């Protein structure tokens, strides 16, 4: 088994990649990838990180296996719903389950998550309602849920903008004197964005309790990570004076250990941490993308061998825990969740024309009331007193 | 209860998709999320998972058909409670298997598709009613047809070579070896692995390459398939600008009866004028070429021969005479042939015309021509002289009555003042739509253009 220790294998297939140096060959020290479970499911010990997951029992491990399987099922079902015309778009997370569950399950309920659009597995950990998860993607609402209900902001579509929101929120935590943490998720491509760099500067300057969780899935749509960075992404943090960790993002335990290290530092007043979780986007960028047009099938195959769920399954098998009972339980749970989500999606009522006025101001506003009144009368002029113009609001 | 599945917008803002193949037949019982079809949008090839559990009652469209979004494509007989039967709720098999790579031995591979990055928009564009594309769907023949340019013997070789590989799997190897194979254009499916459990090693690939250069018949045949020695033919799907150009050319060639006339002209005075103008202050920063002056000559000649600036409106049984000229200029761009036009060229001064021509060429070359500049042309010029060509029979830009091809300007022995002299000579080729333009009018127009180029001062007699 040739584990890609540099984690930069995703760029190997890129034509002309030879023009770019291998990370580490430029004289910059290379961080070793932290790994606790090998792709073949072997638990390897680590002098430092073992301590952070020593409380993880067999039972916990089974539950992480269940979580990862369930979010993969959610993801696959949502992809199918898009193909069936029930969703306008969906950004699959296939392959990134360990990164999302390992980190998402490390958070406290009073921590606050600012994510990109792909962290649907993290949202699942935060307890999001499955129907709410799909609202935006069905085009029925501009935000799926109340951020304060689950302490997770609605997904940010603008690449990297959420890192600034997280840093600002973290500065607020400092003012409150609380020990909660803001956690922000973004991808490899986002590290090239100005917003992310600004957020890193502010977080370092104010030593704010924020965790920068970068899922390096190797592809910024069709752009391989190697074109964006000649050094490992984790090493970019050093330039800001922010400590960083580089973990196998397909290893749920390693991700969990790293996240816990970062959270602990933030809670103790130690400031921000940058985590690079080296993973791989096994599916398309979104359902409107065809990755076979820009990346090699061999690359996908290489990463399939490092699948985050199969390796936990293999570990459970080694431990004699992967019983038929467990597998049935996990499968049934995943199917039930998928069924519930599908039902919530297909029975979601279409938004009504007057809904546009609902979330503009929290307090009454006479100017808006006037507009609302005018619009209601305009709709009524079509002869339907309910204000529901047929077809209006329907997709 | 019968339920219809209408083709959804599978990308963002797509209007149509092509059914590539059906994975089910009428009468089949399908479960929810079972893959029922493979569909190609302008962005990707995707599998369609069934939205219902039930029995297929009707497939509304044939493979190869381009279907508009919202049109029913399949009807299901489903249980009356409408909701998907829980028992039939299978986990969809999406994602892990790229749609463009069906498992071996299954459905034949579709013709290879050209890369088109996301966000670059549709490659294939059509509008209006769904069009049927004639296609041959012979599952057995097609792979050989599309993939293998060599004779049947090669296929036998391939099958034998593949026999050592577990069916349905791609050959086992390691990433560095795959890279080596890729760099040398070797298809690993043709290489016999000697490593543990049939693993293909670096030596195996090198051995395969050595055999290829030794010219063993079987290996060579196999290699041709793998592209090892360069393919004997390359198949490129007809799409994009090429497809558009072809459609336009066919429609033009077979609707407008073309007549082409030639005139060879001594353009030395025009070339002298060009040299003078290049030195003039008003043209200091402008790019002046024979095309600039020829375009001006065409505009002047069109005023005297308006029938060449008209359109045949078959639908309304009318002839549309334009009182303006949108002058099309054929441009070879990286994307293929386009004919952007200069709006209201008749009202431009020579400076403005030179400026417009330069801008048009730059814009076209960088592929940034706006769609509006590609439509609404009334007459066109194609400058084949830049390729060193003298004459040709240009095909009309659809909807236009005339197109003039400018040949190369050559130094040639020519009759001059009763003697033979070395003169600058150019051939003009004019094609026109004989429905709109008679030989007389076409000839007069061409003679006018020739007269101006032969002696620019003749313009004084024309305006």
């Amino acid at each position: 088994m040739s584990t890609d220790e540099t984690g930069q294998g995703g760029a190997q297939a890129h034509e002309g990649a030879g023009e770019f140096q291998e990370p580490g060959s430029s004289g910059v020290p290379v961080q070793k990838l932290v790994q606790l479970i090998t792709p073949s499911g072997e638990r390897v010990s680590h002098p430092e990180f073992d301590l952070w997951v020593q409380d993880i029992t067999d039972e916990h491990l089974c539950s992480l296996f269940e979580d990862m399987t369930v979010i993969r099922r959610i993801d696959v079902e949502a992809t199918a719903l898009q193909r069936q015309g029930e969703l306008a778009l969906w950004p699959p997370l296939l392959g990134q389950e360990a990164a999302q569950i390992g980190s998402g399950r490390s958070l406290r309920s009073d921590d606050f998550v600012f994510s990109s659009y792909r962290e649907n597995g993290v949202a699942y950990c935060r307890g999001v309602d499955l129907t709410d998860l799909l609202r935006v993607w069905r085009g029925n609402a501009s935000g799926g849920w109340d951020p304060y209900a689950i302490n997770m902001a609605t997904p940010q579509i603008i690449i990297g903008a959420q890192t600034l929101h997280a840093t600002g929120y973290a500065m607020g935590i400092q003012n409150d004197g609380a020990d909660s943490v803001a956690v922000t998720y973004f991808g490899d491509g986002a590290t090239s964005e100005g917003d992310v760099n600004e957020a890193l500067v502010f977080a370092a300057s104010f030593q704010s309790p924020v965790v920068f969780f970068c899922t390096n899935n190797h592809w910024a749509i069709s752009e391989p990570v190697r074109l964006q960075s000649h050094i490992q992404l984790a090493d970019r943090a050093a330039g800001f004076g922010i400590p960083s960790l580089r973990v196998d993002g397909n290893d749920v335990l390693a991700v969990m250990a790293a996240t816990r290290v970062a959270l602990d530092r933030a809670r103790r007043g130690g400031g921000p941490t940058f985590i690079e979780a080296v993973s791989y986007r096994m599916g398309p960028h979104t359902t409107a993308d065809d990755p076979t047009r820009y990346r090699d099938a061999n690359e996908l195959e290489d990463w399939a061998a490092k699948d985050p769920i199969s390796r936990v399954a293999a570990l459970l098998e080694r431990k004699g825990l992967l019983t038929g009972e467990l597998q049935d339980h996990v499968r049934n749970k995943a199917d039930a969740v998928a069924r519930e989500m599908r039902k919530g999606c297909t029975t979601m009522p279409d938004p009504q024309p007057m809904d546009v006025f609902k979330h503009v101001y929290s307090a009454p506003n006479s100017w808006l009331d006037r507009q609302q009144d005018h619009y209601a009368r305009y709709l009524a002029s079509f002869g339907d007193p309910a204000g529901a113009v047929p077809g209006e609001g329907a997709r | 209860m019968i339920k219809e599945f209408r083709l959804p917008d599978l990308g963002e803002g797509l209007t149509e998709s092509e059914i590539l193949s059906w994975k089910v037949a009428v009468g089949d019982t399908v479960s929810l999320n079972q893959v029922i079809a493979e569909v190609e949008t302008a962005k990707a090839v995707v599998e369609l998972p069934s939205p219902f559990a039930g029995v297929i009652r009707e497939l509304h469209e044939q493979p190869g058909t381009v279907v508009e979004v919202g049109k029913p494509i399949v009807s299901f007989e489903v249980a009356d409670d409408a909701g998907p039967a829980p028992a039939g709720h299978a986990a969809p098999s999406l994602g892990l298997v790229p749609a463009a790579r069906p498992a071996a031995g299954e459905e034949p591979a579709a013709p290879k598709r050209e890369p088109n990055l996301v966000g670059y928009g549709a490659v294939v564009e059509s509008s209006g009613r769904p069009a049927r594309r004639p296609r041959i769907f012979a599952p057995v023949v097609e792979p050989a047809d599309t993939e293998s340019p060599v004779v049947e013997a090669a296929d036998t070789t391939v099958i034998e070579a593949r026999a050592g590989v577990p069916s349905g799997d791609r050959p086992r190897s390691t990433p560095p070896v795959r890279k080596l194979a890729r760099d040398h254009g070797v298809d690993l499916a043709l290489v016999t692995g000697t490593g543990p459990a049939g693993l293909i090693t670096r030596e195996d690939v090198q051995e395969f390459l050595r055999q290829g250069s030794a010219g063993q018949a079987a290996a060579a045949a196999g290699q041709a398939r793998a592209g090892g020695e360069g393919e004997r033919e390359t198949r490129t799907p007809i799409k994009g600008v090429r497809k558009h150009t072809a459609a336009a050319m066919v429609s033009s060639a077979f609707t407008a009866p073309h007549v082409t006339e030639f005139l060879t002209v001594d353009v030395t005075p025009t070339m002298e004028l060009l040299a003078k103008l290049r030195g003039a202050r008003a043209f200091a920063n402008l790019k002046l070429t024979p095309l600039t002056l020829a375009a001006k000559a065409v505009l002047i000649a069109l005023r005297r021969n308006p029938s060449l600036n008209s359109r045949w409106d078959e639908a309304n049984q009318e002839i549309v005479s334009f009182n303006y000229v949108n002058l099309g200029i054929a441009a070879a761009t990286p994307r293929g042939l386009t004919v952007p036009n200069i709006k209201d060229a008749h009202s431009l001064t020579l400076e403005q015309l030179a400026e417009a021509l330069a801008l048009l060429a730059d814009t076209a070359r960088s592929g940034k021509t706006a769609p509006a500049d590609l439509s609404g042309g009334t007459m066109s010029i194609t400058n084949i002289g830049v390729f060193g060509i003298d004459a040709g029979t240009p095909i009309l830009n659809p909807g236009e009555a005339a197109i003039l091809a400018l040949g190369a300007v050559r130094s040639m022995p020519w009759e001059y003042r009763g003697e033979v002299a070395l003169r600058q000579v150019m051939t003009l080729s004019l094609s026109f739509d004989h429905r709109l333009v008679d030989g007389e009018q076409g000839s007069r127009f061409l003679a006018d253009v020739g007269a101006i180029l032969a002696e620019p001062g003749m313009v004084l007699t024309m305006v």
Side-chain angles (χ1 to χ4, degrees):
Chain A
M1 183 63 61
S2 71
T3 306
D4 183 0
E5 276 297 322
T6 68
Q8 297 285 342
Q12 278 176 1
H14 185 76
E15 303 282 338
E19 297 163 36
F20 297 92
Q21 287 185 309
E22 280 285 346
S25 62
S26 53
V28 180
V30 172
Q31 284 200 43
K32 202 161 156 43
L33 194 73
V34 177
Q35 190 179 69
L36 300 179
I37 309 173
T38 68
S40 53
E42 191 187 339
R43 177 74 168 82
V44 288
S45 62
H46 190 289
E48 192 185 334
F49 287 87
D50 275 350
L51 302 173
W52 290 95
V53 288
Q54 62 186 0
D55 62 320
I56 299 299
T57 59
D58 288 352
E59 202 181 324
H60 284 130
L61 207 55
C62 292
S63 133
L64 292 172
F65 174 65
E66 176 191 307
D67 282 344
M68 289 196 287
T69 310
V70 168
I71 66 167
R72 178 169 288 186
R73 187 70 178 82
I74 286 175
D75 194 58
V76 169
E77 191 70 19
T79 305
L81 283 166
Q82 195 279 335
R83 297 285 183 243
Q84 291 157 357
E86 300 292 347
L87 297 178
L89 189 72
W90 179 255
L93 58 78
L94 188 73
Q96 300 177 206
E97 293 85 355
Q100 298 200 10
I101 294 299
S103 58
R105 284 295 182 214
S106 303
L107 307 180
R108 253 174 26 194
S109 64
D110 62 338
D111 294 333
F112 206 104
V113 175
F114 294 86
S115 78
S116 85
Y117 41 83
R118 209 181 297 284
E119 274 74 32
N120 295 303
V122 177
Y124 173 75
C125 294
R126 299 306 280 172
V128 72
D129 177 86
L130 293 166
T131 310
D132 287 347
L133 195 60
L134 300 184
R135 246 174 243 287
V136 168
W137 304 109
R138 193 170 162 87
N140 271 30
S142 37
W145 60 81
D146 172 4
Y148 294 104
I150 57 172
N151 278 355
M152 176 168 179
T154 50
Q156 178 56 257
I157 303 293
I158 309 298
I159 302 299
Q162 71 276 17
T163 55
L164 285 169
H165 309 158
T167 304
Y169 188 94
M171 287 159 69
I173 295 174
Q174 285 176 298
N175 288 339
D176 290 348
D179 75 340
S180 56
V181 178
V183 182
T184 180
Y185 289 85
F186 52 98
D188 41 297
T191 61
S192 300
E193 291 282 346
D195 283 3
V196 174
N197 289 269
E198 290 158 26
L200 289 165
V201 168
F202 269 78
S205 297
F206 289 88
Q207 287 295 293
S208 306
V210 52
V211 175
F212 291 91
F213 192 99
C214 174
T215 307
N216 175 1
N217 71 14
H218 285 85
W219 289 95
I221 308 192
S222 57
E223 186 94 336
V225 65
R226 177 172 302 204
L227 287 180
Q228 304 214 19
S229 185
H230 285 219
I231 59 170
Q232 290 176 346
L233 298 181
D235 293 333
R236 287 187 162 183
F240 298 90
I242 294 177
S244 65
L245 294 165
R246 194 159 183 277
V247 294
D248 183 340
N250 285 5
D251 171 352
V252 70
L253 282 189
V255 171
M256 186 168 252
T259 312
R260 285 172 164 193
V261 168
L263 289 169
D264 182 64
R265 179 180 291 140
R267 293 196 209 291
R268 289 165 185 272
T273 305
F274 184 104
I275 297 173
E276 179 191 355
V278 180
S279 182
Y280 192 75
R281 190 195 78 208
M282 293 175 72
H285 170 68
T286 67
T287 46
D289 174 34
D290 179 1
T292 61
R293 298 191 181 201
Y294 53 79
R295 72 181 182 194
D296 198 292
N298 285 323
E299 184 182 302
L300 182 64
E301 192 193 345
D302 292 344
W303 280 93
K306 300 178 206 171
D307 186 278
I309 300 183
S310 339
R311 79 171 74 179
V312 173
L315 176 61
L316 291 175
E317 190 157 23
R318 278 166 193 263
K319 287 171 166 263
L321 297 168
L322 193 68
T323 57
E325 195 187 347
L326 175 69
Q327 284 174 303
D328 287 347
H329 165 75
V330 168
R331 194 181 311 114
N332 291 339
K333 165 94 184 193
D335 284 346
V337 166
R339 225 175 359 253
E340 183 193 336
M341 187 176 75
R342 170 174 286 272
K343 188 163 177 236
C345 177
T346 52
T347 58
M348 200 183 293
D350 282 337
Q352 295 305 304
M354 298 306 287
D355 290 354
V356 296
F357 297 96
K358 273 189 185 166
H359 304 296
V360 184
Y361 291 107
S362 56
N365 179 292
S366 59
W367 180 73
L368 191 71
D369 289 347
R370 209 161 66 104
Q371 276 193 29
Q372 187 165 353
D373 176 48
H374 285 177
Y375 191 50
R377 278 192 276 160
Y378 167 72
L379 292 176
S381 72
F382 291 95
D384 184 349
V389 183
E392 185 108 342
R395 287 175 317 108
Chain B
M1 184 198 318
I2 299 290
K3 288 227 172 197
E4 275 182 346
F5 179 35
R6 291 164 184 274
L7 181 74
D9 173 4
L10 294 161
E12 292 169 274
L14 298 174
T15 56
E16 60 181 27
S17 300
E18 179 181 339
I19 310 282
L20 291 182
S21 62
W22 286 108
K23 305 290 185 194
V24 290
V26 172
D28 285 2
T29 301
V30 296
S31 55
L32 181 67
N33 289 337
Q34 181 183 333
V35 173
I36 53 172
E38 201 177 51
V39 168
E40 179 174 21
T41 73
K43 289 184 173 177
V45 176
V46 298
E47 290 176 333
L48 280 191
S50 172
F52 308 110
V55 177
I56 304 285
R57 275 288 162 253
E58 189 182 350
L59 302 176
H60 298 278
E61 301 289 353
Q62 292 299 310
T65 313
V66 176
V67 184
E68 276 177 30
V69 167
K71 287 266 155 63
I73 53 172
V74 50
S75 295
F76 296 83
E77 171 90 49
V78 298
D80 275 347
D81 64 342
H89 190 112
S93 70
L94 302 165
L96 262 174
V97 182
R101 203 187 100 198
E106 211 185 77
E107 196 70 12
K112 218 172 162 47
R113 279 155 226 296
E114 289 219 317
N116 177 42
L117 292 187
V118 174
Y120 279 44
V123 175
V124 185
E125 196 55 72
S126 86
S127 53
R129 287 176 295 120
R132 262 172 215 281
R133 267 192 231 163
R135 265 204 178 195
I136 300 158
F137 277 86
V140 186
V141 178
E142 208 182 5
D145 210 32
T146 54
E147 282 186 11
S148 168
V150 292
V151 286
E152 282 125 46
D155 273 340
T156 326
T157 317
V158 170
I159 291 158
E160 281 167 8
R162 277 194 176 147
V165 179
S167 66
D169 278 347
R170 59 179 42 239
R172 292 190 60 233
S173 187
T174 59
V177 174
R178 280 198 203 101
K179 181 164 185 340
L180 176 76
R182 201 156 54 229
D183 290 348
H184 290 87
V186 172
D187 182 354
L188 284 180
L190 306 180
V191 180
T192 313
T194 59
L199 191 81
I200 297 169
T201 65
R202 180 171 286 274
E203 286 70 30
D204 293 335
V205 174
Q206 283 161 346
E207 179 60 27
F208 183 84
L209 283 167
R210 259 196 304 280
Q211 281 182 9
S213 58
Q216 289 187 5
Q223 255 191 325
R225 181 192 169 88
E229 289 185 325
E231 310 216 0
R232 289 166 62 80
E233 50 181 65
T234 305
R235 291 187 162 252
T236 310
I238 297 163
K239 60 204 326 189
V241 174
R242 173 51 52 204
K243 184 175 169 188
H244 184 78
T245 303
M249 290 299 114
V250 168
S251 111
S252 174
F254 296 108
T255 52
H258 284 55
V259 177
T260 307
E261 295 185 340
F262 304 95
L263 178 66
T264 304
V265 188
D266 174 358
V267 295
T268 313
T270 292
M271 299 310 283
E272 285 165 4
L273 175 64
L274 203 56
K276 251 181 248 170
L277 290 175
R278 278 172 180 156
R281 192 180 298 162
F283 295 94
N285 297 318
L286 291 175
K287 195 183 159 215
L288 283 179
T289 65
L291 172 65
T292 322
L293 296 182
K296 192 66 188 171
V298 161
L299 291 167
I300 292 165
L302 273 183
R303 208 175 301 169
R304 286 158 56 89
N305 305 279
S307 65
L308 281 91
N309 190 40
S310 62
R311 185 164 69 85
W312 184 271
D313 187 344
E314 181 72 36
N316 294 318
Q317 286 299 301
E318 284 172 344
I319 290 171
V320 185
S321 300
F322 299 108
N323 299 321
Y324 60 91
V325 183
N326 287 346
L327 185 65
I329 306 289
T333 72
R335 292 171 60 230
L337 171 69
T338 60
V339 191
N341 60 73
I342 298 172
K343 303 287 182 217
D344 291 327
H346 66 289
S347 65
L348 301 182
T349 63
L350 188 60
E351 291 106 297
Q352 291 167 334
L353 187 61
E355 217 168 300
L357 280 167
L359 182 68
L360 173 140
D362 285 349
T363 314
R365 225 170 278 136
S366 56
K368 288 178 185 151
T369 306
D373 289 333
L374 290 170
S375 60
T378 63
M379 193 236 159
S380 294
I381 295 179
T382 174
N383 190 7
I384 56 177
V386 296
F387 304 112
I389 300 302
D390 295 322
T393 55
I395 292 181
L396 294 165
N397 205 23
E400 297 177 14
I403 180 166
L404 180 71
L406 306 179
V409 178
R410 296 188 187 286
S411 288
M412 288 178 75
W414 204 257
E415 189 273 337
Y416 181 63
R417 293 181 179 168
E419 291 180 24
V420 173
L422 205 56
R423 302 290 289 175
Q424 307 269 80
V425 174
M426 175 199 246
T427 300
L428 302 171
S429 315
L430 175 77
S431 290
F432 53 85
D433 182 342
H434 213 334
R435 294 175 301 180
L436 289 156
V437 181
D438 293 335
E440 182 201 348
Q441 295 145 354
S443 303
R444 282 186 191 282
F445 170 83
L446 188 57
D448 279 354
V449 175
I452 296 172
L453 294 177
E455 181 46 69
M458 288 304 285
V459 170
L460 292 176
T461 70
M462 298 184 185
V463 291

